[in-house]
Amino acid sequence: MSAQVYIDKMKAVQQDLIHYIDGTEEDFEQLSKLLTELNICETKNELKSLLQLISSIVSNHHRPTDFFKKIEKILFNVIPSIKQTISSAELVKLFQCNKIILLFLLDEKVLTIDDLPSTPEFHLYFYPEFENSLKNDQKSEYSEKFKQFNIEYDRDTFIANRKTGENESFICSLIRNDSVVDFISHVNRINLPLSTKISPSLFETNLYLTNKQCKLIQYAAFFGSIQIFNYL
């Protein structure tokens, strides 16, 4: 296969991926049909290119309400090929910036907790998976680390916030939903300066926002929250 043919092939896949994510469930049939016609899952390099596209979309694309549901549906479609073709180490490398996808692969038994990097960042995020193996003094250490993210650890809440994949603070949820009336009421009630910067969240999966502080107006601009942006 020539380089140009390969490029054209992956461009077609990217277009249908974006079309499905920005469109409706009916568009999934077209994407699935294209992946079958182009035999994307039949060769390792092309399957890896597909996963790299998905990783890039998760990191950078605007997220409609059903964004992660659609991403998971795409991944469900290719899991059999992933298991046959791509090693655990390669998967972790492909999605090392997308812990929420690694979590999905963990839940679907494609990966195990032992496959993940042994770093403090990953240990914090995947704490519920190995919590029971820790001694009490180790759990106390993690409690202190969670406080850096203003987290009082509760297993159910923690797991739910991971599934959402975005900053869990109330002010951020108001901005993402462009709830301008509630936003104004909230900032006035707690006397919050509009120049306030948003603290980084352990659960944030937007690459632009990960481990960064940004102003309220920057956060509103990122999510296209026009009413709140205009107010700010």
Side-chain angles (χ1 to χ4, degrees), residues 141-184:
E141 290 178 11
Y142 277 97
S143 294
E144 292 302 314
K145 293 177 182 178
F146 285 135
K147 288 179 182 178
Q148 298 173 14
F149 292 94
N150 298 314
I151 295 173
E152 290 292 337
Y153 180 72
D154 171 79
R155 183 180 177 86
D156 291 340
T157 302
F158 191 94
I159 290 174
N161 285 335
R162 286 196 309 187
K163 289 289 185 182
T164 302
E166 292 175 321
N167 194 305
E168 75 280 14
S169 70
F170 181 62
I171 191 75
C172 286
S173 68
L174 292 176
I175 294 174
R176 288 195 300 270
N177 294 322
D178 203 14
S179 303
V180 65
V181 174
D182 291 338
F183 176 84
I184 294 172

Side-chain angles (χ1 to χ4, degrees), residues 15-199:
Q15 288 172 357
D16 274 15
L17 268 172
I18 298 296
H19 188 67
Y20 168 54
I21 289 169
D22 290 339
T24 65
E25 280 301 317
E26 285 71 23
D27 296 312
F28 180 75
E29 185 177 340
Q30 173 59 33
L31 172 62
S32 183
K33 181 180 177 182
L34 180 69
L35 294 178
T36 301
E37 288 177 350
L38 297 181
N39 297 317
I40 293 296
C41 296
E42 299 300 315
T43 63
K44 182 174 182 176
N45 285 341
E46 291 183 5
L47 178 56
K48 285 180 70 174
S49 293
L50 171 64
L51 297 179
Q52 286 170 338
L53 276 175
I54 293 171
S55 179
S56 180
I57 288 169
V58 171
S59 294
N60 301 292
H61 193 67
H62 173 71
R63 297 174 176 179
T65 305
D66 54 358
F67 179 79
F68 283 116
K69 179 182 176 183
K70 288 183 174 181
I71 292 294
E72 289 180 359
K73 189 170 183 177
I74 296 167
L75 290 171
F76 270 126
N77 203 45
V78 298
I79 276 179
S81 299
I82 291 174
K83 288 181 176 179
Q84 294 175 4
T85 310
I86 301 180
S87 69
S88 298
E90 289 172 313
L91 271 179
V92 171
K93 186 175 181 180
L94 281 167
F95 293 112
Q96 60 185 343
C97 293
N98 286 296
K99 292 191 288 294
I100 194 168
I101 300 299
L102 293 177
L103 177 62
F104 168 78
L105 295 173
L106 200 66
D107 289 342
E108 295 305 314
K109 313 301 182 186
V110 180
L111 295 173
T112 70
I113 193 67
D114 292 333
D115 294 322
L116 301 181
S118 182
T119 65
E121 179 186 8
F122 274 81
H123 281 178
L124 275 179
Y125 188 82
F126 291 98
Y127 180 78
E129 280 68 40
F130 62 89
E131 176 184 6
N132 291 336
S133 66
L134 297 176
K135 298 177 181 179
N136 287 335
D137 58 335
Q138 292 174 307
K139 290 181 180 180
S140 297
E141 290 178 11
Y142 277 97
S143 294
E144 292 302 314
K145 293 177 182 178
F146 285 135
K147 288 179 182 178
Q148 298 173 14
F149 292 94
N150 298 314
I151 295 173
E152 290 292 337
Y153 180 72
D154 171 79
R155 183 180 177 86
D156 291 340
T157 302
F158 191 94
I159 290 174
N161 285 335
R162 286 196 309 187
K163 289 289 185 182
T164 302
E166 292 175 321
N167 194 305
E168 75 280 14
S169 70
F170 181 62
I171 191 75
C172 286
S173 68
L174 292 176
I175 294 174
R176 288 195 300 270
N177 294 322
D178 203 14
S179 303
V180 65
V181 174
D182 291 338
F183 176 84
I184 294 172
S185 174
H186 179 68
V187 297
N188 287 338
R189 184 171 63 255
I190 67 173
N191 197 27
L192 183 72
L194 298 184
S195 59
T196 296
K197 288 187 176 181
I198 296 169
S199 298

